[in-house]
Amino acid sequence: MQLVASIKSFAGQQLRFEHRSTVLNCDMHFSLYLPPQAETGAVPLLTWLSGLTCTDENFVQKACAQRAAAEHGVAILAPDTSPRGESVADDPDGSWDMGLGAGFYVNATQAPWAEHYRMYDYVLEELPALVAAQHPVDLSRQSIFGHSMGGHGALTIALKNPQRYRSMSAFAPICAPLECPWGHKAFAGYLGEDRQRWAEHDSCTLVRGATQHLPMLVDQGSADSFLQEQLKTPLLESACAESGYPAMIRMQEAYDHSYFFIASFMDEHVAFHAGHCKS
Ligand SMILES: N[C@@H](CCC(=O)N[C@@H](CS)C(=O)NCC(=O)O)C(=O)O
């Protein structure tokens, strides 16, 4: 693991690393914000998952999360959104909703993706363990959040591993990949045509089958151009209401899909996770 950037921010350190991922079978970058409290002891670890077309750097530069992380004494880990490198398969049509920048946080089982696209195991297992081996983060106090494709990743990974996380949250998540074009394309490519496999990574399906509940916060902008066709927040609201999953799902009037929306509510999301990681 090699440090490639270290920038002081709100009395903490915004770090960027390069490393060889054994799970993804390629070289990767990730970012890690360490708050000032990490100088004197282990701090909770929040993992942020970004959306389509992002790297680890969009969040670092545009989400305005460092101030709240420093205030609450939490570290924030931001992985990339897919495996990277010349040997890594990309969408043959070059579109941005599949392949590079669009790993969908699943373990691909289909050629040519299966060789590298294992973002589920990378985010859940390899990366937190790697970070904790070298930095003062407490893996018994973890939460996960994300945006759009990363919101889907955060909700599904937490719903599948409630013992691993204290809380989950999402901005404009893809709530029902079983019911939207982005999900159909990515899941057919990465997981094959068997919809049973898809259902294992569908927030609405997982909510309906959940036996253990975690605190869940979701913010969605009402002026988000992806809301109707791709994100489908009402399906998550129904799944939570019908199955009795306690979730705070908020429609934020006139906000769009961008990082301006994310930054507007970032303080609340960091405070939400920090509170659950401390209790
Ligand atoms: N590139 C697409 C938009 C993709 C997009 O909105 N990506 C979101 C996540 S789903 C994002 O965070 N983009 C990077 C950024 O805003 O910094 C387009 O031109 O329509």
Side-chain angles (χ1 to χ4, degrees):
M1 184 158 105
Q2 197 183 336
L3 183 69
V4 294
S6 172
I7 302 166
K8 189 162 185 180
S9 176
F10 294 97
Q13 295 291 332
Q14 181 62 63
L15 307 172
R16 190 166 197 240
F17 297 93
E18 186 174 6
H19 78 114
R20 181 80 191 168
S21 165
T22 50
V23 165
L24 300 175
N25 191 24
C26 62
D27 293 333
M28 294 292 289
H29 284 92
F30 69 88
S31 290
L32 177 69
Y33 179 73
L34 287 179
Q37 294 86 341
E39 287 169 20
T40 51
V43 295
L45 180 66
L46 314 190
T47 295
W48 169 267
L49 303 181
S50 288
L52 294 164
T53 74
C54 290
T55 69
D56 57 303
E57 296 195 292
N58 300 68
F59 170 79
V60 167
Q61 295 169 3
K62 296 166 103 175
C64 300
Q66 290 90 354
R67 181 180 51 203
E71 180 189 335
H72 295 284
V74 295
I76 305 184
L77 170 63
D80 204 344
T81 53
S82 75
R84 299 283 177 178
E86 282 179 14
S87 67
V88 176
D90 195 8
D91 188 287
D93 303 328
S95 57
W96 51 268
D97 54 7
M98 179 88 193
L100 296 177
F104 271 83
Y105 306 103
V106 299
N107 292 333
T109 56
Q110 307 298 303
W113 313 104
E115 202 182 326
H116 297 285
Y117 283 76
R118 301 185 61 82
M119 291 299 290
Y120 180 85
D121 281 352
Y122 181 65
V123 165
L124 178 69
E125 305 287 359
E126 185 183 28
L127 197 50
L130 183 79
V131 167
Q134 302 202 15
H135 299 283
V137 298
D138 177 359
L139 294 188
S140 72
R141 292 181 290 157
Q142 290 192 73
S143 291
I144 188 163
F145 61 154
H147 173 224
S148 195
M149 174 185 72
H152 141 77
L155 298 184
T156 53
I157 291 174
L159 286 163
K160 287 165 75 67
N161 300 279
Q163 74 291 349
R164 192 67 69 88
Y165 300 100
R166 301 284 185 97
S167 51
M168 64 181 121
S169 79
F171 295 83
I174 301 170
C175 293
L178 281 180
E179 309 295 341
C180 76
W182 280 343
H184 291 176
K185 179 175 176 181
F187 283 7
Y190 295 140
L191 304 174
E193 295 300 335
D194 182 357
R195 287 177 69 98
Q196 295 280 36
R197 300 280 83 78
W198 301 11
E200 292 165 15
H201 299 277
D202 180 84
S203 292
C204 292
T205 308
L206 292 167
V207 156
R208 289 183 194 279
T211 52
Q212 190 181 332
H213 295 162
L214 284 183
M216 183 199 297
L217 169 64
V218 173
D219 277 317
Q220 173 62 54
S222 68
D224 185 329
S225 58
F226 297 119
L227 173 55
Q228 304 297 337
E229 191 189 6
Q230 303 285 7
L231 307 176
K232 299 188 183 282
T233 318
L235 296 183
L236 183 63
E237 287 176 313
S238 308
C240 290
E242 287 162 23
S243 62
Y245 201 109
M248 203 173 359
I249 302 175
R250 312 187 298 194
M251 191 56 70
Q252 302 291 2
E253 186 62 29
Y255 284 93
D256 67 10
H257 195 66
S258 71
Y259 268 91
F260 292 103
F261 159 58
I262 295 171
S264 302
F265 297 97
M266 181 52 68
D267 287 1
E268 287 183 57
H269 283 242
V270 172
F272 172 76
H273 294 303
H276 290 294
C277 282
K278 280 175 187 155
S279 61

